[in-house]
Amino acid sequence: SGPWMCYPGQAFQVPALPGCRPVLKLQCNGSKVPEAVLRDCCQQLADISGWCRCGALYSMLDSMYKEHGVQEGQAGTGAFPRCRREVVKLTAASITAVCRLPIVVDASGDGAYVCKDVAAYPDA
């Protein structure tokens, strides 16, 4: 396993994490996330390699914006009407930490719990 498994167009396709979408929306709007909803999201993330979890979260966030017609760099957050874009990105980046699922940060195998790369995407 390694980071090459996660790139779009490769044999391994990252799912859009349907179970994590409600977690992101609820957390971002300041609502309590029901335990069963969080458990579903964490299980879906746990099934993904630690190399790919952040990419999967980014892919989920990207698809949520595209479903609501938000273009890259466009102001407004149709998927998250009461949540600033920066908050949405930081919330998505922290889902791995909420689930207590480690991610692999780089080729040395160093791990972390918060996806710094998700928060760094300017168009997410």
Side-chain angles (χ1 to χ4, degrees), residues 81-92:
R82 292 189 299 261
C83 203
R84 288 196 335 262
R85 211 170 258 245
E86 301 79 33
V87 176
V88 174
K89 289 191 288 187
L90 291 171
T91 302

Side-chain angles (χ1 to χ4, degrees), residues 15-29 41 44 55-72 74 76-81 83 85 88-89 91-93 95 118 123-124:
L17 296 170
C20 292
R21 290 168 172 238
V23 171
L24 184 56
K25 285 182 178 180
L26 289 166
Q27 279 188 329
C28 200
N29 291 324
C41 171
Q44 285 181 12
L57 287 167
Y58 169 64
S59 177
M60 174 193 75
L61 188 55
D62 188 51
S63 69
M64 289 174 81
Y65 277 124
K66 285 181 177 158
E67 287 166 14
H68 287 271
V70 177
Q71 301 300 316
E72 290 183 14
Q74 179 182 344
T77 53
F80 311 97
C83 203
R85 211 170 258 245
V88 174
K89 289 191 288 187
T91 302
I95 288 177
V118 171
D123 57 350

Side-chain angles (χ1 to χ4, degrees), residues 3 5 14 20 30 35 38 51-52 55-56 61 66-67 74 80 85 95 98-99 104 108-109 113 116-118 123:
M5 294 172 50
V14 176
C20 292
E35 195 64 39
L38 184 60
W51 286 101
C52 306
L61 188 55
K66 285 181 177 158
E67 287 166 14
Q74 179 182 344
F80 311 97
R85 211 170 258 245
I95 288 177
V98 171
C99 292
V104 179
S108 70
Y113 282 93
K116 295 197 183 336
D117 57 342
V118 171
D123 57 350

